[in-house]
Every structure is written in structure tokens, then in C-alpha cells.
Amino acid sequence: MGLKVDNALSYKGRIISVVFVAVLLLFIRGMVIMHFGRAPHPLPIPALIPLVIAWYLGKHYDKYVHLSMRDTLTGLYNRRYVLDKFPRVMTYVNKRKLNIAILVLDVNGFKEINDNYGHDYGDQVLEQLSKILCKSFGQKDIIARWGGDEFLILSTFSDEKLVINKINQFKNEIKREDWQQKSDISVSIGKATYPSDAVSLKELMAKADSNMYELKMSDKQMNATKREESMLH
């Protein structure tokens, strides 16, 4: 059985609301019996009205909670959801002796993309990247927009090769994507592993951020070297 990711709308608010109203109605029924010595009809039609209202209000509460855990632009999970979920993910992997890959990624040159092509196009890039992330990683992985152009993925694993394969698939999908011929989109990805690198989310993200920055600097130096070589030939 895999880690449960909360993709569907919860019924928690509806269940609590209906149960509360049902208990209240039973209490009122008991009071009526005490005072009048007899019970009303087992299920009077008017009793259904507060139950329906309770279900309706509970549904709106469930929807509010669901949306509060989502990023408004991409529909991915947000920082609040990750902070709430991570302790439960740790409990899950500790019981099963698994690991967690914490992947931090951002879009290379995203500021220039916004400056050159506008913020609307920048938003489209983030939305499309979100779709590619969902396509490349599994349903049991937690994919979140951490803020700005930064994304966070939590992926539980027993074999690290599976995580590497997902990363490679994601990068290949980016290369194949049609970016309206405006710019070449690329990302930098840093990885940290629980529990070998750290045990707190803050420390793991710091490690992944550091690895991402090193890769980003390495890629910049490599590209600069290639440009210099092309100018010499």
C-alpha cells in the first residue's frame, strides 16, 4: 500500500456536520419524549432539512480546506500543504524503512523570461511545467509550488534509480515541449535525501538548494566555455 496523497476533496467537513446535526436531532427527540411521553414520527420530513443544510455547509468547508492547500495558478499543492504533510510522510517511511527524495527546482533565467516576454507568458511557463511535473512523477509523489518559480517534490523510494528515472523523464519532456518558439526553457534541480542528508524539512531543503545552486553555477560556466570556444573557431 502506497503513501496516500490527498488529491480528492475530503468528506470530513460534511461527515462532522451531518453527525453533529443528527445527534442534536436525537437529543431534541429525547427531550420531546421526556416532556410529552411519546415520540414523534420516527423520521419526520422537517428533520431532513437541517441534515441537508449541514451537508451543504460541510461541503463548502471541505472545498475551502482543499483550496487552501492548493496554489491558485498551477493547481499544485502549496507550501502550507507540504509543511502539514511532511511529518506524516516521515512516519510512513520510517515504518517501512524507505527514503524520501526532496527535489527543489527552479526555472533558469525566469526573470529574463518575464522581462522579455511578459508575465502572462511567464505564468504559462509555470502552468506548463506543472503539467509536465505531474506527468513525469507518480500519483504518490507530492508536487508543490513552493513560491515564485520554485517547485518542490517529495518522492518516497526504496531504489534511488526510480527517482533518477523520473528526473530524466521530466527533463526530456521539457526539451520536447513546444514553448511557442519564444525561448528555450530549462530548469535546475537539486536533491537531498531523508534520512541520510538530514532529518528536518528545513535542513533537507537547504541541502537541496545548495546542490541546485552548484549545478546552476556549473551549467553557467560550461555554457560560457562553449561560447568562448565557438568564438575562437
Side-chain angles (χ1 to χ4, degrees):
M1 183 177 179
L3 175 66
K4 181 181 178 182
V5 179
D6 309 319
N7 289 314
L9 195 65
S10 170
Y11 282 82
K12 184 177 180 180
R14 279 164 280 187
I15 292 172
I16 292 175
S17 298
V18 170
V19 169
F20 174 78
V21 171
V23 170
L24 182 61
L25 290 173
L26 289 174
F27 173 77
I28 294 173
R29 177 183 171 86
M31 295 298 293
V32 169
I33 294 173
M34 286 179 60
H35 283 83
F36 298 100
R38 64 184 181 85
H41 190 276
L43 187 63
I45 297 301
L48 295 176
I49 297 175
L51 290 173
V52 171
I53 294 174
W55 180 268
Y56 177 79
L57 294 176
K59 182 178 180 180
H60 277 269
Y61 172 80
D62 290 331
K63 186 176 181 180
Y64 168 77
V65 171
H66 182 76
L67 292 176
S68 72
M69 298 290 186
R70 295 280 178 170
D71 174 61
T72 54
L73 175 65
T74 63
L76 298 177
Y77 290 115
N78 58 20
R79 183 183 300 222
R80 177 181 176 181
Y81 178 84
V82 175
L83 294 175
D84 178 70
K85 189 77 173 179
F86 188 72
R88 285 178 278 171
V89 178
M90 284 197 300
T91 301
Y92 173 86
V93 299
N94 288 339
K95 287 181 178 179
R96 292 160 179 80
K97 300 188 183 303
L98 299 174
N99 303 283
I100 310 172
I102 290 83
L103 307 176
V104 174
L105 68 93
D106 70 10
V107 183
N108 295 325
F110 189 68
K111 182 180 183 301
E112 287 73 19
I113 292 172
N114 277 331
D115 291 343
N116 294 332
Y117 304 108
H119 289 275
D120 286 343
Y121 179 70
D123 286 347
Q124 291 175 27
V125 169
L126 296 179
E127 289 179 279
Q128 197 58 31
L129 279 175
S130 301
K131 293 177 182 177
I132 298 173
L133 278 169
C134 292
K135 181 180 179 181
S136 303
F137 288 84
Q139 292 183 347
K140 296 173 185 177
D141 298 322
I142 296 175
I143 306 169
R145 184 184 177 199
W146 196 249
D149 65 319
E150 190 172 57
F151 296 84
L152 176 72
I153 300 99
L154 303 180
S155 182
T156 60
F157 68 92
S158 57
D159 184 355
E160 193 173 19
K161 290 180 181 178
L162 297 175
V163 178
I164 301 301
N165 289 340
K166 292 177 183 179
I167 294 173
N168 290 334
Q169 180 183 344
F170 172 63
K171 289 182 176 180
N172 290 333
E173 290 290 342
I174 290 177
K175 291 177 182 178
R176 286 195 290 264
E177 184 64 29
D178 177 16
W179 299 103
Q180 302 179 20
Q181 299 180 346
K182 289 186 177 181
S183 60
D184 291 328
I185 303 299
S186 64
V187 299
S188 294
I189 303 175
K191 183 173 76 70
T193 302
Y194 170 90
S196 58
D197 288 325
V199 294
S200 73
L201 181 59
K202 183 177 180 180
E203 292 173 330
L204 287 162
M205 287 200 63
K207 176 70 173 177
D209 263 326
S210 176
N211 291 339
M212 181 181 69
Y213 181 77
E214 289 178 7
L215 288 172
K216 193 183 287 283
M217 292 300 101
S218 176
D219 288 342
K220 284 184 178 180
Q221 291 174 357
M222 188 180 299
N223 291 333
T225 301
K226 287 181 179 179
R227 284 195 298 270
E228 290 176 1
E229 290 177 349
S230 64
M231 291 173 65
L232 292 173
H233 291 289

